[in-house]
Amino acid sequence: MKSIGVFDSGVGGLSVLKTLIKNHPNESFIYLGDTARLPYGTKSKDTIISYVKRNLNYLLNNHDIKAVVVACNSASSVISEVTSSVPLIGVIEAGVRAALKTTKNKRLSLWATRTTVELGQYKKHLDKKEKIESLTSTPCPLLVSLVEEGLQDTEIAWSMFDHYLSPVFQNESDTLIMGCTHFPFLKDSLTKYLKEVNKSLNLIDASSEISIELEKILTQDSKKKKQPSSKQEIKVLLTDCASNFKHFTTKNLPKNLNFEFSMINI
Ligand code: DGL
C-alpha cells in the first residue's frame, strides 16, 4: 500500500501528522524529521530549497509514496521552486484559508520563523484571496526551540508570549496565525496565558484545512485506481539524534499510536 510522506525539520510537523492520522485512519504515513538540519527557519531560501529537494528525493526514491505533505511553513514557502512526481501539499494556503474563515475584523497577525516572514508567502496568498485590514508578521525563532525542548508549560514560555504578543495586541488582531508547525503545541499554554491577561485571540492551526486538502487529492486518486484498505502504519525516519524526538512523541501524541522509528543518513 502506498504511503503519505510528511516532513519537517523536527517535531513541529507532528502537529500536522496527528490530525492526518486521525482523519485518514486507512492511510499509512512516513514522517521524515530532518533533525540533522534543524532549524530550517533561520536558513536562506536556497538552503531550504536544497533541504526540500533532498527530503523529497529520499522519500520518493526509497518508499512507495502517493503524496507528500510539507508540514513546515519555512519549507512550504519555497515549494513553488520544486518539482515533484506526486502531489506536494504545503501548509501556507491552508493557514490562510483557516484564518480568513475565522477573522471578523480582518486584522491578522502571524507568528512564524524568520525565513517564513521574510519570504512573505502568507501576505502573497492573503492578497490573492481577500482584502484584509492589516497583517503583522513577527519572527518567533525562540518558540521553535521552546517546543523542541518540551518547555511549553513553563514560565519561560509565558515570558516569550509576553514578548511576541506585543505586536499582535498593538495591531488589535482578533486572529493569530500559528505559521510554524511547532506552534500548535503551544496552544494550551497560550490559551491559559491569554485568559490570565484577559485577552481573546483566535489561534489558527492549519492542520484541519491541510487534512481537507489531502482528502481531495486522495479522492481524485482513488477515482483513478481502487486501493485495498489495510492496517495503518506510521513510520518515523530521523536524520539525527532520536532520543528527544521519541520522548516528545510519547508525551504529546496519543498513546494508542504505534510509531516505528528508524534513523536514515541523507
Ligand atoms: N516547523 C517548521 C515551520 O513550520 C520549521 C521550524 C524550524 O525548523 O525553524 O516553519
Side-chain angles (χ1 to χ4, degrees), residues 8-9 12-13 38-42 71-74 113 116 144 179-182:
D8 181 38
S9 56
L38 169 86
Y40 279 12
T42 54
C72 169
N73 290 261
S74 316
T113 65
T116 300
V144 175
C180 168
T181 52
H182 281 72

Side-chain angles (χ1 to χ4, degrees), residues 15 33 35 65 67 74 82 90 143-144 146 158 165 174-175 183 186-187 207 225 245-246:
S15 65
T35 44
I65 299 284
S74 316
V82 177
L143 295 181
V144 175
L146 188 83
W158 281 38
L165 279 172
D174 68 351
T175 300
F183 301 169
L186 296 166
K187 205 169 175 181
S207 305
K225 41 189 178 316
F245 199 105
K246 282 185 184 163

Side-chain angles (χ1 to χ4, degrees), residues 36-214:
R37 280 160 278 268
L38 169 86
Y40 279 12
T42 54
K43 310 287 193 314
S44 71
K45 181 178 180 184
D46 286 346
T47 301
I48 298 179
I49 292 175
S50 71
Y51 293 172
V52 172
K53 286 184 178 164
R54 188 197 324 243
N55 294 343
L56 201 55
N57 285 341
Y58 178 82
L59 286 169
L60 298 180
N61 293 336
N62 295 280
H63 297 274
D64 203 7
I65 299 284
K66 57 179 163 184
V68 173
V69 176
V70 181
C72 169
N73 290 261
S74 316
S76 297
S77 295
V78 305
I79 53 170
S80 57
E81 315 272 337
V82 177
T83 52
S84 164
S85 55
V86 300
L88 204 53
I89 304 163
V91 292
I92 294 180
E93 283 187 69
V96 164
R97 273 199 306 278
L100 290 176
K101 277 185 192 167
T102 308
T103 182
K104 295 269 183 303
N105 70 3
K106 311 272 181 217
R107 302 184 70 83
L108 301 175
S109 284
L110 168 71
W111 274 3
T113 65
R114 197 165 293 286
T115 303
T116 300
V117 169
E118 279 168 11
L119 294 179
Q121 288 296 317
Y122 272 96
K123 175 90 179 68
K124 205 171 140 200
H125 285 290
L126 278 166
D127 287 347
K128 259 200 254 168
K129 287 220 170 262
E130 205 173 305
K131 188 159 167 27
I132 55 157
E133 290 294 324
S134 67
L135 171 71
T136 298
S137 305
T138 309
C140 308
L142 295 176
L143 295 181
V144 175
S145 318
L146 188 83
V147 173
E148 285 287 333
E149 291 300 317
L151 297 173
Q152 296 96 303
D153 279 316
T154 60
E155 276 178 28
I156 310 170
W158 281 38
S159 315
M160 288 187 191
F161 296 158
D162 215 25
H163 177 72
Y164 289 132
L165 279 172
S166 144
V168 178
F169 294 151
Q170 224 162 18
N171 186 43
E172 295 176 5
S173 298
D174 68 351
T175 300
L176 171 65
I177 305 172
M178 294 193 284
C180 168
T181 52
H182 281 72
F183 301 169
F185 288 114
L186 296 166
K187 205 169 175 181
D188 290 348
S189 174
L190 188 51
T191 304
K192 271 188 229 156
Y193 173 91
L194 289 167
K195 206 169 162 207
E196 185 74 21
V197 297
N198 215 4
K199 295 273 190 191
S200 83
L201 199 55
N202 302 305
L203 303 176
I204 301 297
D205 165 5
S207 305
S208 301
E209 284 289 330
I210 300 163
S211 182
I212 294 170
E213 212 168 313
L214 177 64

